[in-house]
């Protein structure tokens, strides 16, 4: 009984000591809060914990607020092409990553970039995963399929064949799938059939990558697959006449030019009456919206 009472007394003392220590720390934080906040900002581990707890998606306002993204992307590509022998591989990859992000964000058309990347698409290339990620990120829905088809052929020729390891084949199939997810019309029918045949591989990574490519084309364009490879859902959709929209076509035609009215309001040489006549469609009565 005495030992039990002594244990309780010890635990109470520990609790009291911890409480006093927490109160002292809270007073210190109140007094030196700016210093503690600065320490938290300078601690990378603390920042990682805060980022994980926040769960926010990354935002790149510096890229979103570019004044002329097309000119900026073309200058980056000219820099790569002009100083190709002077830059190291790390510098080239950094510039390519920036160019790929700007291209994907603003849906730019820089066709020479896909020809430039072709020489780096080999399985023995240093930093090959980073280059594959750059190529996949630079593709988007407005990229012409003819510009991406040579890159897909080069990937299939260099990465997807029995002469390399299974991890190389899986990386090549995953890169091709990500490119085709952004631009499905860049794939060819014969090449797609050869790549899908790897779904019967014994290696799990290769099998999963090939099945992912097959599932992608079952969703986006089942007409490129053979009848036995389409699946039940895709076959029923094709029997009902559901076809994907080809590249260069839209389901609904454009009715107006985006931002046209804003540009007309900014024109200094148009008065109120001239502005009303410029905005009003042809044949409509001339009405003054200001009531004067």
């Amino acid at each position: 009984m005495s030992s039990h009472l002594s244990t309780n007394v010890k635990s109470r003392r520990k609790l009291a000591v911890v409480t006093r220590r927490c109160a002292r720390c809270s007073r210190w934080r109140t007094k030196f809060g700016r210093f503690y906040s600065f320490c938290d900002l300078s601690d990378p581990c603390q920042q990682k914990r805060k980022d994980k707890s926040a769960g926010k998606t990354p935002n790149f306002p510096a890229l979103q607020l570019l004044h002329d993204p097309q000119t900026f992307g073309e200058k980056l590509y000219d820099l790569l092409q002009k100083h190709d022998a002077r830059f190291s591989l790390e510098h080239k990859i950094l510039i390519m990553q920036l160019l790929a992000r700007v291209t994907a964000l603003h849906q730019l058309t820089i066709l020479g970039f896909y020809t430039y990347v072709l020489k780096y698409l080999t399985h023995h290339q240093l930093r090959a995963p980073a280059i594959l990620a750059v190529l996949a990120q630079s593709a988007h829905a407005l990229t012409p399929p003819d510009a991406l088809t040579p890159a897909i052929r080069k990937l299939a020729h260099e990465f997807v064949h029995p002469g390399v390891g299974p991890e190389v084949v899986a990386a090549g199939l995953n890169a091709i799938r990500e490119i085709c997810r952004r631009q499905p019309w860049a794939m060819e029918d014969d090449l797609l059939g050869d790549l899908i045949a790897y779904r019967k591989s014994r290696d799990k990574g290769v099998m999963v990558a090939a099945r992912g490519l097959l599932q992608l084309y079952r969703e986006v364009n089942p007409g490129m697959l053979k009848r036995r490879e389409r699946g039940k859902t895709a076959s029923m959709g094709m029997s009902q006449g559901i076809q994907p929209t080809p590249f260069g076509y839209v389901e609904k035609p454009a009715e107006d030019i985006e931002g046209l009215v804003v540009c007309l309001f900014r024109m200094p040489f148009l008065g109120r009456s001239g502005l009303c006549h410029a905005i009003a469609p042809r044949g409509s009565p001339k009405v003054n919206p200001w009531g004067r």
Side-chain angles (χ1 to χ4, degrees), residues 261-272:
V261 178
V262 178
C263 292
L264 289 174
F265 270 101
R266 290 179 179 177
M267 295 173 68
F269 57 86
L270 281 177
R272 290 184 175 180

Side-chain angles (χ1 to χ4, degrees), residues 100 137 207:
Q137 190 176 15
M207 178 188 64

Side-chain angles (χ1 to χ4, degrees), residues 159-175:
F159 287 84
V160 189
H161 60 86
V164 296
E167 64 277 359
V168 178
V169 178
L173 288 173
N174 288 328

Side-chain angles (χ1 to χ4, degrees), residues 187-196 224 226:
M187 178 62 72
E188 297 174 327
D189 298 350
D190 300 337
L191 181 59
L192 180 62
D194 296 339
L195 296 177
I196 286 175
M224 296 182 66
K226 296 180 181 179

Side-chain angles (χ1 to χ4, degrees), residues 136-206:
Q137 190 176 15
S138 62
H140 52 83
L142 299 182
T143 305
D146 298 337
L148 289 173
T149 302
I152 293 179
R153 288 180 192 162
K154 185 73 178 293
L155 283 175
H157 178 71
E158 291 287 339
F159 287 84
V160 189
H161 60 86
V164 296
E167 64 277 359
V168 178
V169 178
L173 288 173
N174 288 328
I176 292 173
R177 186 189 71 230
E178 291 302 320
I179 295 173
C180 294
R181 187 184 303 277
R182 293 163 171 81
Q183 181 50 269
W185 297 99
M187 178 62 72
E188 297 174 327
D189 298 350
D190 300 337
L191 181 59
L192 180 62
D194 296 339
L195 296 177
I196 286 175
Y198 279 87
R199 70 186 186 275
K200 299 179 182 178
S201 174
R202 295 181 179 179
D203 186 77
K204 186 176 181 181
V206 177

